[in-house]
Amino acid sequence: MKNKPDTIYVHKKSHLVDFIFDDAVVDVFPDMIRRSVPGYENIITMIGLFAEQYVQNNSQCYDLGCSLGAATLALRHHINKDKVSIIAVDNSESMVERCRINIKKDASASTVQVVCNDIQNITIENASVVILNFTLQFLDPDKRMELLQNIYNGMNKGGALILSEKITFSDKTTRDTNIQLHEAFKKANGYTELEISQKRSALENTLIPDTIETHQQRLSEIGFTTINTWFQCFNFTSILAIK
Ligand code: GEK
C-alpha cells in the first residue's frame, strides 16, 4: 500500500467537522493509522497468526470495518485450511474502492468479497474468524451489544473474534496518564500539538471508547468462553474471544 504522509490536520481549520472516512483520509490512511495507533502493525501481524490457529476448513472469515484491507490480507496470507472465503465489509465507499484495488493486486488463494455496507446489516454465517479491528468504537454504544450478539450467533464453535479498540478508563488518573502517553506517542511520530488537538475534536462525537471491563463484560454475557486480552498499549487494546 502507498504510504502518503498524513497532513490532514497540519493547518488550522476555520471550521472543524466530524471525522469521516473520505477520499482524503483514504489517501493517507496507512500512514495515519500507523502513526496514531500504538501497536497497529503488531496487531495486523498477529491477525495472521490467529488465522493459522483458528480458521477452520469450509468456513468463512469476516473483516468488519476493513478499511484498505490490511487485516483481510494478513488473514488471507496465513489461511492454511481448505475452502475458506473472506468477507470484508466497510460502509465508506472510498475505503471499499481502494480496498478492492489492494485485494486485486494480491494473488493468494482464498476468495475475498469486499462489500460496501454497514456492518450492522451483515448476516454472519459459518464464521471461524471474525475481525473487528478498531471498528466497534465507531458504532453507537447502544448498538454494540446487538452487533456482537449477531457475530457470536454466526460463529462456529471454536471460532475466534479479534476485537481491537481504543479504550477509556473509569479511574481519572489512569485515563489521563494513558491519554498523555498516547499524545506523546503521536508527537514522537511527528504530529504537532495542533494536529493532535484538531484530530481529537474531529473524533469527539465519532469515536466513543468503552472501558476494557465493558468489553469483557459484553463478551462474557454473550457466552464467549475464553476472553483473552492479549494486547494493550496505553489506551489501545486487542481481545481474542473464543466461542
Ligand atoms: C484495519 N480494520 O486497517 N459499518 C461498516 N464500516 C464502518 C462502520 C459501520 N457501521 N463504522 C465505521 N466503519 C481496519 C481499520 S478503521 C479504524 C479500521 C480507524 C469503518 C470506517 O469506514 C473505517 O474504514 C473503519 O471502520 C475504521 O485493520 O480509522 O481508527
Side-chain angles (χ1 to χ4, degrees):
M1 283 176 212
K2 225 175 12 189
N3 220 1
K4 196 169 158 195
D6 170 21
T7 53
I8 290 180
Y9 295 104
V10 162
H11 300 295
K12 182 142 182 59
K13 300 202 187 264
S14 52
H15 196 72
L16 259 185
V17 289
D18 283 348
F19 188 84
I20 49 163
F21 293 96
D22 57 8
D23 284 343
V25 168
V26 165
D27 275 345
V28 301
F29 188 75
D31 182 61
M32 171 187 279
I33 197 149
R34 184 183 56 79
R35 287 164 68 208
S36 308
V37 176
Y40 172 77
E41 284 151 318
N42 188 23
I43 293 171
I44 292 292
T45 303
M46 292 311 157
I47 285 172
L49 186 113
F50 294 137
E52 286 170 6
Q53 301 294 312
Y54 295 105
V55 172
Q56 301 166 347
N57 285 319
N58 301 302
S59 70
Q60 309 202 104
C61 299
Y62 291 82
D63 180 8
L64 304 176
C66 60
S67 298
L68 303 184
T72 293
L73 289 173
L75 273 176
R76 199 185 197 198
H77 293 163
H78 290 269
I79 288 173
N80 52 8
K81 296 289 188 305
D82 296 326
K83 297 195 178 141
V84 178
S85 56
I86 305 175
I87 296 137
V89 185
D90 206 290
N91 66 352
S92 153
E93 276 180 27
S94 310
M95 285 290 188
V96 164
E97 201 180 302
R98 196 69 64 88
C99 183
R100 286 188 177 132
I101 295 170
N102 291 338
I103 302 297
K104 226 177 236 167
K105 283 190 207 148
D106 180 76
S108 319
S110 310
T111 40
V112 178
Q113 191 192 345
V114 186
V115 179
C116 189
N117 204 338
D118 194 302
I119 55 175
Q120 295 165 110
N121 299 330
I122 301 295
T123 307
I124 309 290
E125 289 172 315
N126 184 25
S128 57
V129 169
V130 179
I131 312 284
L132 272 171
N133 203 35
F134 303 106
T135 307
L136 190 70
Q137 59 196 20
F138 292 106
L139 246 63
D140 177 342
D142 292 340
K143 303 278 167 60
R144 293 177 188 180
M145 187 70 173
E146 192 182 330
L147 177 79
L148 292 168
Q149 185 70 64
N150 284 343
I151 290 172
Y152 181 85
N153 293 346
M155 283 173 64
N156 299 337
K157 196 159 173 16
L161 165 68
I162 293 107
L163 172 66
S164 312
E165 287 276 289
K166 185 173 189 182
I167 50 169
T168 188
F169 301 84
S170 34
D171 173 64
K172 186 179 179 319
T173 310
T174 313
R175 186 167 64 240
D176 291 348
T177 303
N178 282 300
I179 289 172
Q180 187 264 317
L181 287 167
H182 178 226
E183 293 193 356
F185 169 85
K186 292 187 79 168
K187 268 187 219 153
N189 280 332
Y191 285 117
T192 62
E193 298 265 3
L194 178 66
E195 286 178 286
I196 293 170
S197 76
Q198 293 199 107
K199 177 85 178 279
R200 191 192 311 117
S201 307
L203 280 174
E204 209 158 44
N205 304 315
T206 314
L207 190 171
I208 299 161
D210 286 316
T211 61
I212 205 155
E213 293 79 13
T214 300
H215 287 299
Q216 289 166 341
Q217 177 70 29
R218 274 201 202 103
L219 296 169
S220 159
E221 259 178 54
I222 287 169
F224 283 96
T225 50
T226 304
I227 300 162
N228 179 13
T229 305
W230 69 272
F231 174 89
Q232 191 189 332
C233 182
F234 312 142
N235 42 359
F236 291 82
T237 193
S238 187
I239 300 172
L240 169 69
I242 311 293
K243 177 162 174 176

